Amino acid sequence: MTVGEAQGRVLLIEDEELIGTLVELNLAQEGFDVEWHKLGEAARNKSFVEEFDVVLLDIMLPDADGVDLLRELRSMGVRTPVLMLTAKGDTDTKIRALDLGADDYLTKPFDVHELSARVRAIIRRAQGERHTASAERLPIGPYSVNLQTRMAETREGEVQLSEKETDLLEFFARHEGKTMPRADILEEVWGMEVYVSQRTIDNFIVRFRRLFEDDPENPHRFITVRGVGYRYER
Ligand code: CA
């Protein structure tokens, strides 16, 4: 996967060699573009931090306290999402970090797959917020969806969409032109905790084609990529 296709840019600030190596390898493998720093001073540069989609911030750093760094970032007006990497059982620190504007936290030792799922969720939320702020109407060819009311202008006239349908359309719009495996769609739109069969996606696609394709039997927007998943073309 090239940098241009990266799932997001991650700034990792962690002094522990083993944890840093594991996190960097795993996130890179999952398509993230990771930059690893071992000192807290990396988080003191506003414009540098703002180049990233998410910051993974260790609390016990050789030159700084992660919670103090978080406070500094927020007071400088940096809104980049921050996930704190906390020591086991330190509830006070967690609460303090969340109060100061951390977006999430993970307790060490953590599962790297859980970390990547959390990172993905944070980036998705941030993109969703930006998206909703910039345009509440999502165009789909000659049709469209109002993301606030979930009312859609479709081939069959005005249709009220469900929250999941709207989430899935937003997901496709964010990944326009890219082939998305079914497992990724499930993980991002339905989350890890809920069991949903991959068939569920197929049912949504059938409905999307009926609503948003000029000829549902011959789709040009919601395209099946055999053996993989789907690709959306506006
Ligand atoms: Ca540390």
Side-chain angles (χ1 to χ4, degrees):
M1 189 172 272
T2 68
V3 171
E5 290 172 291
Q7 304 233 18
R9 297 202 67 207
V10 178
L11 174 60
L12 168 66
I13 302 177
E14 169 64 75
D15 61 305
E16 283 157 79
E17 196 71 39
L18 183 63
I19 294 180
T21 306
L22 272 175
V23 168
E24 187 182 41
L25 271 175
N26 187 264
L27 290 184
Q29 221 165 46
E30 301 220 8
F32 294 96
D33 184 9
V34 185
E35 188 164 329
W36 176 17
H37 288 258
K38 292 178 185 170
L39 290 178
E41 64 181 16
R44 291 215 155 90
N45 183 334
K46 182 177 191 278
S47 55
F48 173 71
V49 173
E50 285 178 335
E51 287 172 22
F52 296 88
D53 295 302
V54 62
V55 182
L56 307 183
L57 185 56
D58 180 31
I59 288 186
M60 300 272 284
L61 290 160
D63 63 330
D65 176 326
V67 177
D68 291 340
L69 286 172
L70 172 66
R71 186 191 297 114
E72 282 176 40
L73 282 173
R74 293 300 182 235
S75 71
M76 287 189 288
V78 175
R79 301 188 60 185
T80 309
V82 174
L83 186 152
M84 306 296 293
L85 304 173
T86 70
K88 198 176 179 184
D90 190 356
T91 311
D92 285 353
T93 306
K94 278 179 207 163
I95 293 169
R96 218 152 53 88
L98 291 172
D99 280 347
L100 284 169
D103 294 77
D104 203 351
Y105 64 85
L106 262 184
T107 303
K108 294 176 186 176
F110 49 78
D111 182 274
V112 281
H113 299 292
E114 182 174 4
L115 174 68
S116 56
R118 301 270 192 103
V119 166
R120 208 170 277 133
I122 287 176
I123 292 175
R124 186 180 68 225
R125 276 203 301 275
Q127 284 174 341
E129 279 161 20
R130 274 204 298 276
H131 191 82
T132 312
S134 65
E136 65 176 30
R137 187 160 285 275
L138 180 69
I140 303 169
Y143 312 109
S144 68
V145 184
N146 182 317
L147 298 172
Q148 305 298 316
T149 62
R150 305 200 304 267
M151 285 301 290
E153 304 288 339
T154 77
R155 196 174 57 89
E156 299 186 337
E158 274 215 331
V159 173
Q160 174 76 61
L161 299 182
S162 73
E163 206 173 326
K164 270 292 169 253
E165 286 170 331
T166 313
D167 288 350
L168 184 54
L169 287 173
E170 273 196 273
F171 172 86
F172 278 127
R174 280 202 304 277
H175 299 282
E176 191 182 339
K178 289 183 199 158
T179 298
M180 301 310 291
R182 282 187 180 77
D184 288 9
I185 301 172
L186 274 184
E187 190 179 321
E188 287 208 34
V189 178
W190 275 269
M192 304 260 295
E193 65 278 10
V194 185
Y195 179 76
V196 189
S197 117
Q198 301 202 347
R199 276 291 168 82
T200 308
I201 301 171
D202 302 341
N203 294 333
F204 275 70
I205 296 291
V206 168
R207 181 161 148 88
F208 287 169
R209 284 176 179 160
R210 209 177 68 226
L211 297 176
F212 302 113
E213 293 280 1
D214 306 317
D215 175 8
E217 300 300 315
N218 187 19
H220 288 98
R221 300 196 175 98
F222 299 91
I223 299 155
T224 302
V225 181
R226 217 159 281 287
V228 184
Y230 290 101
R231 191 178 75 243
Y232 168 70
E233 302 283 358
R234 185 169 133 193

